[in-house]
Amino acid sequence: MLKKTRYALVGSGHRGTTMWGRDLVERWAGEVELVAICDLNTMRAERSSRYMGVSVPIYRDFDRLLAVEKPDLVIVCTKDSTHDGVIVKAMEAGANVISEKPMTTTADKIKRILDAERRTGKRLDVSFNYRFAPTAAKIKELLNSGVIGSVTSVDFHWYLNTSHGADYFRRWHAFTENSGSLFVHKATHHFDLLNWYLGSDPQTVSAFADLKHYGHKGPLRGERCRTCRHKHECDYYFDIGKDRLLESLYEDPSSVDGYVRDACVFREDIDIPDTMVANIHYKNGVDVAYSLNTYMPIEGHHIAFNGQKGRIEMRQYEAQPWTEPPADEILLMRNFDGVERIWVPHFSGGHYGGDDRLRNMLLKPGLNDELQQRAGSRAGAMSVLCGIAALKSSRTGVPVAISDVWGDDQGLHLLDSTP
Ligand SMILES: NC(=O)c1ccc[n+]([C@@H]2O[C@H](COP(=O)([O-])OP(=O)(O)OC[C@H]3O[C@@H](n4cnc5c(N)ncnc54)[C@H](O)[C@@H]3O)[C@@H](O)[C@H]2O)c1
C-alpha cells in the first residue's frame, strides 16, 4: 500500500473547506490524510472542521503548525495576496505545495516563490482546473493535431453573471491590494488557458478597464446586505442565511476578524474595474482579443481560435437563461470545407468537470499527463504577470511588456529555467 500524503490545509474559507477539505476527506482518503488546519480566524477553522467531520489540530500560527505537524503537503486557500508567505514557509519547512489560483499578486512575490522553490527543491502546483475540463482537453488536442494550421489569432470573452460576478465585489477581492484586481484574481485562469492552448508566453499587453457598474457607480448603498435598509429594492441583495455553510463559516466568525460575506457591492471605496478588455501579443506571433465582464445575464465564455487553415469555436455556459443541451458543442471548421460538430458531454463537478480531474492528477501518483495539464510555478507566474501587465496598461494608457513588469534586474531568465 502506498503511504498517504499528510497534508495541512491553510485557509478554511469556502474553497478550502469544500474543494480541498471535505471532498478530499471523503473521496481522496486513499491518497491523502488531513493532519491540521490553519486559519487566522480559528472560529472559522473550527466550523470548517465540523463541516468536514474531522477532528484535527487547529492552528492560528502557521510556523507552529509546520514545526509540530511536519506535513508532506500544504494546500494554500488563503486570500490571494497572502499566498506567497504561506508557500515560501511551507517549502522551507520541507513540504510540497498546492496553491489555489492566482499563485500570487505581484512580480516581487512571484520572485520570492520561484526563489524558494529553487532553494528547497520542493514542488509547487497551481490549481488551474479549467485546463482539466473535458472541452478544454478536446480543444487542446485539436490544436495539437494542426487541423486548423498555425493559429494566428484568438477571440476570448468571459462573462460572469450578476450572482458570481457580484460576489467578487462583496468581499476582499474588490480591492487591488488583496486580489491584484480581477485581471489577476479571475483572469489568471483565462490567461493560463491561453498560454497553455497556444504553448507560448504573452509578450505585450494593451488594455482598457473601468469600474462602470459596481462600487461608486451603483445607485444605492449600505454597509452589508444583512443590515441594509435597501434590501427590498436592491437587485443585488444577498441573503447568506439561505446557505447554511456560508452562514456557518462566515457569519459568527466575522465577529473575530470583521470579514463579512455580504458586504455592499456598491461600496464607495471599491477600486478594481468591473469591465475589462485586453489585447495580448504572444511570443509566437498570435494576437488575442480578450474581455471580462462581471454583471451579465449569462455565466460562461466564448472562445475561437483562428488559424491559417480554419477555425475552432466554442460557446460554453455554466448558467444561462435558456436550456442548454446535455453536451457542449465545439465547431471545427476547415477553410473551404464546411463544419464538423464535435459534442463533448457535460461532466459533473465544478468548473466544467475540471475540479475532479485536477485533484486526480495532483493527488494520485503516476497519472499520464499527455496534454501537460498539470501546472507549476512557471505557469502560475506567467498568467499573473499577464494580469499585472493588463492592469498597468489600463491605468497608464500605454501597452506594457511582460519583461517590464518582471523588471530588468533579473530579466526573464529566472522564469526560463523554472518548470
Ligand atoms: N480554482 C478556483 O476556481 C477557485 C475557486 C474559488 C476560490 N479560489 C481561490 O481560493 C482561495 C480562497 O478562496 P475563498 O473564497 O475560500 O476565500 P475566503 O477569504 O473566504 O477564505 C480564506 C481564508 O483564509 C484565511 N486567511 C487569510 N490569510 C491567511 C493567512 N495568512 N494565514 C492563514 N489563514 C489566512 C481567512 O481567515 C479565511 O478564512 C483564493 O485564493 C481564491 O482565489 C479558487
Side-chain angles (χ1 to χ4, degrees):
M1 268 212 2
L2 280 174
K3 199 171 144 283
K4 286 190 197 185
T5 301
R6 300 173 66 259
Y7 85 98
L9 177 66
V10 189
S12 59
H14 190 270
R15 188 67 175 168
T17 298
T18 55
M19 169 90 177
W20 300 108
R22 190 154 102 169
D23 284 4
L24 295 201
V25 169
E26 289 182 351
R27 293 165 50 208
W28 278 269
E31 288 79 25
V32 293
E33 179 189 356
L34 177 64
V35 294
I37 303 174
C38 175
D39 201 297
L40 296 177
N41 186 332
T42 52
M43 192 194 296
R44 187 169 302 118
E46 276 156 21
R47 298 286 174 94
S48 169
S49 78
R50 204 184 305 157
Y51 176 79
M52 290 182 221
V54 295
S55 168
V56 295
I58 287 171
Y59 292 83
R60 190 172 190 284
D61 181 342
F62 184 49
D63 293 322
R64 221 174 102 67
L65 180 154
L66 290 170
V68 176
E69 307 293 343
K70 302 186 174 28
D72 307 315
L73 172 69
V74 168
I75 303 187
V76 186
C77 300
T78 59
K79 179 168 76 175
D80 305 347
S81 57
T82 65
H83 288 180
D84 64 308
V86 182
I87 293 169
V88 170
K89 279 186 180 180
M91 289 196 288
E92 284 174 347
N96 289 319
V97 179
I98 296 173
S99 174
E100 261 305 346
K101 48 56 55 177
M103 185 175 85
T104 185
T105 51
T106 70
D108 283 346
K109 290 177 177 184
I110 292 174
K111 286 174 189 165
R112 282 191 66 207
I113 292 170
L114 299 188
D115 175 58
E117 193 178 37
R118 188 173 315 259
R119 275 189 288 111
T120 61
K122 290 291 144 189
R123 180 183 177 115
L124 171 63
D125 283 295
V126 181
S127 67
F128 286 131
N129 37 12
Y130 281 112
R131 288 187 184 198
F132 290 84
T135 41
K138 184 69 203 173
I139 289 175
K140 180 73 174 163
E141 278 171 23
L142 291 171
L143 291 170
N144 285 354
S145 76
V147 65
I148 62 163
S150 59
V151 175
T152 48
S153 70
V154 183
D155 320 323
F156 191 11
H157 304 288
W158 201 278
Y159 307 101
L160 297 170
N161 66 12
T162 47
S163 162
H164 188 201
D167 212 38
Y168 295 115
F169 294 83
R170 300 185 198 286
R171 306 190 275 155
W172 48 261
H173 314 64
F175 301 96
T176 309
E177 186 188 0
N178 299 327
S179 64
S181 84
L182 296 181
F183 263 142
V184 171
H185 175 82
K186 190 66 195 172
T188 187
H189 273 307
H190 315 145
F191 297 149
D192 175 67
L193 275 175
L194 286 167
N195 301 345
W196 173 67
Y197 280 137
L198 297 174
S200 184
D201 291 335
Q203 194 169 45
T204 308
V205 186
S206 178
F208 293 95
D210 207 352
L211 183 65
K212 300 187 188 209
H213 187 77
Y214 299 112
H216 68 278
K217 292 290 171 63
L220 33 88
R221 60 189 47 77
E223 209 169 291
R224 58 174 302 203
C225 289
R226 178 152 288 184
T227 54
C228 187
R229 64 193 168 98
H230 299 295
K231 62 171 77 161
H232 299 297
E233 53 185 309
C234 181
D235 289 335
Y236 288 97
Y237 171 65
F238 172 57
D239 181 359
I240 70 164
K242 287 193 172 149
D243 182 323
R244 284 175 61 190
L245 178 58
L246 285 187
E247 173 81 10
S248 159
L249 285 178
Y250 295 96
E251 191 52 29
D252 292 340
S254 70
S255 65
V256 175
D257 58 8
Y259 172 21
V260 293
R261 189 62 185 68
D262 62 349
C264 181
V265 298
F266 298 130
R267 281 167 293 164
E268 293 276 0
D269 53 349
I270 286 176
D271 72 356
I272 60 165
D274 55 23
T275 310
M276 291 144 274
V277 301
N279 290 331
I280 309 161
H281 179 71
Y282 273 77
K283 279 190 183 158
N284 64 358
V286 175
D287 290 309
V288 175
Y290 168 82
S291 69
L292 176 57
N293 286 280
T294 58
Y295 40 91
M296 297 293 105
I298 54 174
E299 172 90 9
H301 69 281
H302 300 172
I303 190 162
F305 295 86
N306 306 304
Q308 295 281 8
K309 294 188 194 163
R311 173 176 158 98
I312 296 166
E313 180 178 321
M314 180 177 69
R315 293 178 171 223
Q316 190 174 41
Y317 301 98
E318 289 178 87
Q320 69 292 322
W322 63 84
T323 307
E324 277 282 290
D328 289 306
E329 185 185 38
I330 298 171
L331 298 177
L332 169 60
M333 289 160 266
R334 296 173 176 88
N335 288 354
F336 318 109
D337 195 20
V339 61
E340 190 180 323
R341 308 177 79 147
I342 300 167
W343 290 94
V344 181
H346 285 171
F347 285 84
S348 60
H351 301 88
Y352 305 120
D355 282 348
D356 284 0
R357 284 166 179 71
L358 165 80
R359 287 178 289 192
N360 281 340
M361 181 64 80
L362 299 190
L363 303 173
K364 290 183 192 279
L367 287 193
N368 183 356
D369 188 15
E370 239 173 277
L371 294 174
Q372 297 180 315
Q373 286 162 298
R374 190 170 183 170
S377 57
R378 185 182 196 284
M382 269 303 168
S383 67
V384 170
L385 288 171
C386 190
I388 296 171
L391 185 67
K392 189 171 173 190
S393 172
S394 73
R395 287 183 172 168
T396 58
V398 294
V400 174
I402 301 297
S403 55
D404 285 348
V405 175
W406 186 244
D408 286 337
D409 53 336
Q410 300 192 45
L412 285 170
H413 70 271
L414 235 174
L415 275 173
D416 286 338
S417 54
T418 296

